[in-house]
Amino acid sequence: MLRGRRSPAGGTPIVYLCRARTEAEARVIHQRVWNQDLTPFLLVASPQNLRVYPGFRFDPTEAKNDDLNAGALRAFADLNRVATELDSFRADAIDTGRFWRTWASEVKPEKRVDWRLLSHLRDLAKSLGESGVGDRSLVHGIIGKFVYLRYLRDREILSRRKLEAWDLDEEEVLSRNLRLEAFEQLLTRLDVWLNGSVFPLSGDQLRELGEDRLRTVAGVFRGDKASGQMALEFANYNFAFIPIETLSVIYEQFLHAPDPQTGVSRGKEEGAYYTPVPVVNFMLDRLEMRRPLQAGMRILDPSCGSGVFLVQSYRRLIEQAIRNNDGQPLRPAELRTLLTEHIFGIDTDPDACRIAELSLVLTLLDYVKPPDLESTPVRRFQLPTLGGQNIFRQSAFSALPVSVPQSFDWVVGNPPWKQLKSLNDDTDGRSLTQWIHGNDGNRPTGRRQLAEMFAWRSYEFLDSKGAASILMPAMTLFKYDSKKFRVRFFADARLWEVANFANLASVLFAGRSTVPAAALFFERETAREPASDIEVYAPFLANQPALYEASSGAKQREAWSVLVNAGEVRSLRYSEALSGHPVHWKLASWGSYLDGQLLERIRKQFGNIRDLDRRGVLTVIGGFELRKSRGSGTNQADYHTELVGKRKLLIQRLKERRYLWRLPGQAIERVSEDEAFVRLRGGFERPLQACQPPHVVVARSGAFAVYENDFLVIPPRQIGIGASTDKSALLKAITLYLNSDFPLYYQFFHSPEKGIQKTIGTMRELQGTPIPFDETSGSALQPWVELFEEVIEQNRDRDDFSGSPLIGKLNELASDALQLTRRDRDLVHDLIHVKMDLTRGKVGRRATAVPQDDEFHEYALALRNELDSFLGEDMTSRHRVRIAAGHDAATVEILLVPNTHSPQPISVESAGPRLSVEMALARASGRQEFAQWFYFDRNLRIYDGALTYVCKPMQRMHWTRTQALLDAGEIIADTLVSSTDDTATRG
């Protein structure tokens, strides 16, 4: 199970171990586990073999194959081989993550049952369209209806005896022998029994489809061989095991199917995306740790969609009640009470509400035996009517009916991520407009971001001791537009935790959306006093063992689990959050207090480019867009003859280019006569100054700055720095300086989007960049000019100086000018040249490669020196540091040597490929329970008397000099607060 020390009961299973009575039954178990879509691996012991199956992959031809091992990853008839060949399936190997080095490549989410099912549903939809059904909503409706019917039938909710009680023949309603009249009767009966309809279809729509098409669809879903190849595929699905949440996935597919005419989907227009169950469970886990779920608590999702948060919350309530009932099942009436008194949802989409209602009812029936309610003890039980009593088809900004609770203990959800067109936008009904105007500045948001309005509304729904978990666009924490929201919301609500998933954007939603997400956890301001620091968790993909395996480079396409790695948890002072400044969130996600100290010191010590602009020394401005017409209104443009024939920059041809000293010829063209229009609104005279020589062209991404002695039209969003001819030395110095590491480092932490959404900066960050010289620097500019000329002289045969030793010389010159210490230089280097390879879900080799011996040595030296500097000259003790490096982990041993002022030796030894994480930990302490902790803390510290051990994975990102400084700080802090226990561990 994937479950950390700080997680509640439950978890995600890595492997099932099952026993089959026959060899054929092993295949059946494999098929069922694949349909269950929960665990990536399955071990099945049969009378003759032990087989390892992929839990997320199933071969439909497996049952026809004479080879009984078909579909298995490994098969063992000789059980003596199991202990050695399946060594990685041992509990300690799974706990430490060593398991994934062998098996990560076998986890293929695209082969999971929901992906396969969605693919087949798309094929079926295409087939119906080709048969003449032009109404897309009708196609989706009938497919959704049959998915729903398969759920009911396979789970024995719509049992054979239920059909008989309704005087219906299964062959006439659910097979290729379907009769239209009988099928209509079935749907009517179901709507009455289950108190509502999902994927509703009118009689006219059914007749439009026609009996023949309905028979085809019914045959496909039933898996009738006579219905063709598609039916054979559907025969592999068992909806008794396929999670109920897959209904939500199917609904989302229909919601996000692009319109054939516009190419735009309804879901995208509404900003609505299905929340993956692992993310839901992560959020509920964290919420439960703060405000434990218990009977009597009311749960609300104010944007419930198809109900995935509500279903998972309801399951938790049921499972908790069963545990409290000594494991005995609950009576149907108790299940109904848990649902009707605890679970509430709101959404404006009636289809989504119906899916939510039916998903909750299906979840209830999961715990009822028999689920068809046809036996005597449960026949009189009435299913609850949720519509209008628990699930409300209205705007979240409208008042709830007076008959239902007005405040809630948990508020959860993933609201729409959409920017309203205006404050009068009635996207969510007139009630939203009224709510906006009624609050009149008391509930600020950034550019009318609907998700931020939902955050406010969630806060309003909270009980005085309630807690909330809302999934938001991660840019809410960083963009300037949302500063007022951050300042006011964090003052009114009490934030205790933020999970910034920006670095998992590529896998979190399986490619359906790549907009970075963040989960905000908050409560009423009066709930707890005083405000404590905020825990910020910003996981790197490279630190998720189940999603990325470093040695093989295997990366999953979908996050089927989300782990809290204790080594990535940072604290943010509440006062910093209240400032609203994005740099604090950047530091909490990407840096440390050391970076914060450096940035603040340099900001105070030096002027910036904006100062030079304000004094008129430079002109710093974005370029202008050339147009081919005069336009009108706000787009009106003037024609400028003087631009015709001038050079213009084609920035798109410079993608991925770095360290340019001149612009390549292929990136330059001449302005033609028909494109010399420039929009009036953007101005002309000032941007023109930055296009005239001498000037500097600065890429918005910060990838390069190029000094130019010729006129050049700078395109929009790129930046030009112009000055008079007598300032050419200053411009050359600025050009080189902007190509050095420190400006990139500074701008990374101050730019809202860098490392979060896009690798771009803005004029604001460039202007705010500290600069160690100005127009009065005189001879101090000479070293810069000389290095500028040296770069040109040594690289005349190329356009850039990438890979040149002059880059190192440039960074030294910049660091000296900024008076950076050795520690400062390490911070800058390690961010730019190591951690930047981890932005936005990247797993670049500079960060994930196995460290070299010299890098281990540098780490050990920095760690020892930092620990010794804390002791000072008065202490007669010094630290000895030894590193033992194995295959997938290394152990740092730190010994405090008494009675000496002399620096103690450091050593790096290879422990050979047999030093696994488990052996490293055993070497450290011999205590077995530490092994499972390593999975959840990739920087595990263990204290054992005079010895301290640090266990880390073999990835460069964990062995930088910066990390050594941080590790030393943590060890010192732990020492200062440690108890008198002989042995303690903290992560």
Side-chain angles (χ1 to χ4, degrees), residues 371-389:
D372 63 0
L373 306 181
E374 282 298 309
S375 68
T376 302
V378 296
R379 186 170 292 157
R380 294 182 180 179
F381 171 70
Q382 293 293 311
L383 290 168
T385 300
L386 300 179
Q389 298 185 40

Side-chain angles (χ1 to χ4, degrees), residues 658-659 699-704 737-751 754 769 828 831-833 836:
R658 182 85 169 92
Y659 297 116
R700 188 186 184 192
S701 65
F704 60 80
Y737 176 67
L738 292 178
N739 278 292
S740 69
D741 287 347
F742 184 81
L744 292 177
Y745 171 85
Y746 188 91
Q747 291 168 27
F748 177 84
F749 283 114
H750 287 83
S751 168
K754 283 193 174 181
T769 303
V828 174
L831 177 77
I832 300 301
H833 297 285
M836 288 288 280

Side-chain angles (χ1 to χ4, degrees), residues 581-633:
H581 202 294
V583 69
H584 300 302
W585 293 101
K586 273 296 192 73
L587 288 167
S589 298
W590 280 91
S592 69
Y593 68 96
L594 297 174
D595 298 287
Q597 291 171 354
L598 172 58
L599 293 170
E600 183 63 11
R601 190 183 81 237
I602 297 299
R603 185 187 67 81
K604 291 180 176 179
Q605 188 173 351
F606 296 97
N608 56 42
I609 293 175
R610 184 181 292 108
D611 296 332
L612 297 177
D613 192 7
R614 287 172 175 169
R615 294 202 300 268
V617 178
L618 306 173
T619 297
V620 185
I621 193 166
F624 47 72
E625 183 179 3
L626 298 173
R627 301 191 170 199
K628 293 190 175 184
S629 66
R630 191 171 297 275
S632 60

Side-chain angles (χ1 to χ4, degrees), residues 434-694:
Q434 293 167 2
W435 181 88
I436 293 171
H437 291 291
N439 283 287
D440 192 27
N442 294 323
R443 300 283 190 259
T445 61
R447 285 185 178 266
R448 304 175 299 280
Q449 173 54 250
L450 188 56
E452 294 173 17
M453 296 178 189
F454 268 92
W456 278 118
R457 190 64 176 132
S458 299
Y459 167 79
E460 294 172 349
F461 277 126
L462 277 178
D463 181 76
S464 61
K465 294 184 179 180
S469 176
I470 303 296
L471 197 66
M472 306 274 288
M475 284 302 295
T476 297
L477 299 172
F478 304 99
K479 62 181 181 178
Y480 295 122
D481 295 332
S482 292
K483 181 177 181 179
K484 290 183 178 179
F485 167 79
R486 292 193 293 271
V487 171
R488 187 61 183 266
F489 188 79
F490 299 157
D492 287 5
R494 182 57 52 84
L495 199 69
W496 82 82
E497 183 173 329
V498 169
N500 174 11
F501 295 122
N503 294 315
L504 300 182
S506 61
V507 298
L508 202 64
F509 295 101
R512 292 186 291 268
S513 171
T514 56
V515 179
L520 272 58
F521 300 85
F522 58 91
E523 56 200 354
R524 280 280 184 178
E525 192 276 334
T526 57
R528 294 170 185 258
E529 295 287 348
S532 57
D533 290 351
I534 301 167
E535 278 199 347
V536 180
Y537 171 57
F540 293 123
L541 182 58
N543 268 340
Q544 296 279 312
L547 304 180
Y548 171 73
E549 204 292 305
S551 62
S552 67
K555 183 168 72 170
Q556 300 297 329
R557 289 179 57 190
E558 181 179 12
W560 59 272
S561 68
V562 178
L563 297 177
V564 175
N565 170 19
E568 290 174 323
V569 176
R570 300 283 185 267
S571 289
L572 178 68
R573 293 175 183 169
Y574 213 93
S575 58
E576 294 173 334
L578 289 174
S579 74
H581 202 294
V583 69
H584 300 302
W585 293 101
K586 273 296 192 73
L587 288 167
S589 298
W590 280 91
S592 69
Y593 68 96
L594 297 174
D595 298 287
Q597 291 171 354
L598 172 58
L599 293 170
E600 183 63 11
R601 190 183 81 237
I602 297 299
R603 185 187 67 81
K604 291 180 176 179
Q605 188 173 351
F606 296 97
N608 56 42
I609 293 175
R610 184 181 292 108
D611 296 332
L612 297 177
D613 192 7
R614 287 172 175 169
R615 294 202 300 268
V617 178
L618 306 173
T619 297
V620 185
I621 193 166
F624 47 72
E625 183 179 3
L626 298 173
R627 301 191 170 199
K628 293 190 175 184
S629 66
R630 191 171 297 275
S632 60
T634 58
N635 288 317
Q636 187 174 351
D638 266 353
Y639 189 77
H640 291 274
T641 308
E642 65 270 37
L643 295 180
V644 176
K646 299 292 188 181
R647 299 161 70 240
K648 68 173 182 178
L649 176 62
L650 305 176
I651 191 67
Q652 67 273 18
R653 297 184 182 178
L654 296 178
K655 190 176 182 181
E656 308 296 333
R657 295 299 300 271
R658 182 85 169 92
Y659 297 116
L660 290 172
W661 70 264
R662 70 181 172 200
L663 296 170
Q666 67 267 25
I668 304 294
E669 284 186 357
R670 297 286 175 175
V671 178
S672 63
E673 290 184 356
D674 66 346
E675 60 174 345
F677 290 92
V678 178
R679 194 172 70 156
L680 290 173
R681 187 177 178 182
F684 180 72
E685 294 302 328
R686 185 167 160 78
L688 186 66
Q689 293 177 31
C691 297
Q692 293 171 337

